[in-house]
């Protein structure tokens, strides 16, 4: 019995180590820190510049053929969170996005955010609602293209990504007004 337990521990450690290698970083936003107003939405009572932050990822898992990026606020007072950005079919050669990235120029597909506009939609929590978390996630995918178009819901993309991703890396920044 001890041999089986040790084998399970070793297998679990190997899985954990590979998961921790894939990393998402940014020159613009930091883990657990409040984002600058540059990344606030322009509309819905918010007056930011509504540009996406610079993002970079490293230690890409073997077998990655494309990426997806999502930005999600689980603290939005909707009962279902708020999708700020969903983009997929990002070529595997891309490992950096500049601030205000043009996803179409990369050949990627972007969905409408929950604001109803295509592309990145910055932070805009209700005034006085407290600090919100903004989860920027890059997903390593085993296919070059998802068999989805820009009319699919963010929930379907989220389901698809969770069902097939090789790995994901997340950076969570915060924002309040």
């Amino acid at each position: 019995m001890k041999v089986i337990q040790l084998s399970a521990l070793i297998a679990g450690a190997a899985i954990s180590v590979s998961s921790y290698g894939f990393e998402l970083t940014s020159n613009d936003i930091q883990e657990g820190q409040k984002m600058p107003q540059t990344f606030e939405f322009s509309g819905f009572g918010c007056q930011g510049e509504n540009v996406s932050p610079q993002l970079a990822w490293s230690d890409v898992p073997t077998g990655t053929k494309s990426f997806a990026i999502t930005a999600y606020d689980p603290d939005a007072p909707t009962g279902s969170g708020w999708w700020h950005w969903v983009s997929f079919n990002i070529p595997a050669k891309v490992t950096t996005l500049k601030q205000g990235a043009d996803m179409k120029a990369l050949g990627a597909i972007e969905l409408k955010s929950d604001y109803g506009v295509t592309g990145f939609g910055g932070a805009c929590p209700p005034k006085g609602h407290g600090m919100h978390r903004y989860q920027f996630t890059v997903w390593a995918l085993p296919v070059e293209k998802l068999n989805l178009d820009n009319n699919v819901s963010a929930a379907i993309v989220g389901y698809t990504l969770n069902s097939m991703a090789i790995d994901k890396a997340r950076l969570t920044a915060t924002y309040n007004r």
Side-chain angles (χ1 to χ4, degrees):
M1 181 164 265
K2 289 183 182 178
V3 173
I4 293 172
Q5 289 174 339
L6 181 58
S7 296
L9 285 173
I10 291 169
I15 291 169
S16 295
V17 169
S18 68
S19 291
Y20 290 123
F22 190 33
E23 183 179 22
L24 177 61
T25 59
S26 176
N27 295 328
D28 294 334
I29 59 175
Q30 284 72 46
E31 182 68 32
Q33 300 298 309
K34 185 176 178 181
M35 292 186 286
Q37 189 177 8
T38 301
F39 309 110
E40 182 180 278
F41 190 65
S42 180
F44 276 63
C46 290
Q47 299 176 352
E49 295 177 36
N50 196 47
V51 296
S52 60
Q54 181 274 340
L55 299 171
W57 48 98
S58 59
D59 295 323
V60 173
T62 302
T64 300
K65 294 184 179 173
S66 71
F67 297 102
I69 301 263
T70 59
Y72 178 74
D73 173 5
D75 304 313
T78 63
S80 60
W82 192 274
W83 291 98
H84 289 266
W85 198 15
V86 178
S87 183
F88 55 91
N89 295 348
I90 302 165
K93 67 182 180 186
V94 175
T95 57
T96 299
L97 296 177
K98 66 181 184 174
Q99 188 180 104
D102 180 354
M103 302 308 285
K104 282 185 183 178
L106 298 175
I109 292 176
E110 285 184 298
L111 300 186
K112 287 183 178 180
S113 69
D114 281 341
Y115 294 114
V117 296
T118 301
F120 179 76
C124 187
K127 281 187 178 179
H129 198 256
M131 195 65 73
H132 282 225
R133 294 168 291 158
Y134 294 86
Q135 300 170 336
F136 290 83
T137 307
V138 60
W139 306 76
L141 304 174
V143 295
E144 287 183 22
K145 298 205 180 274
L146 294 180
N147 191 21
L148 301 171
D149 63 25
N150 63 347
N151 293 313
V152 69
S153 71
I156 291 295
V157 174
Y159 176 84
T160 302
L161 297 176
N162 277 295
S163 72
M164 71 182 318
I166 298 168
D167 205 349
K168 63 184 176 183
R170 177 173 291 155
L171 190 160
T172 303
T174 62
Y175 200 75
N176 67 322
R177 296 189 312 132

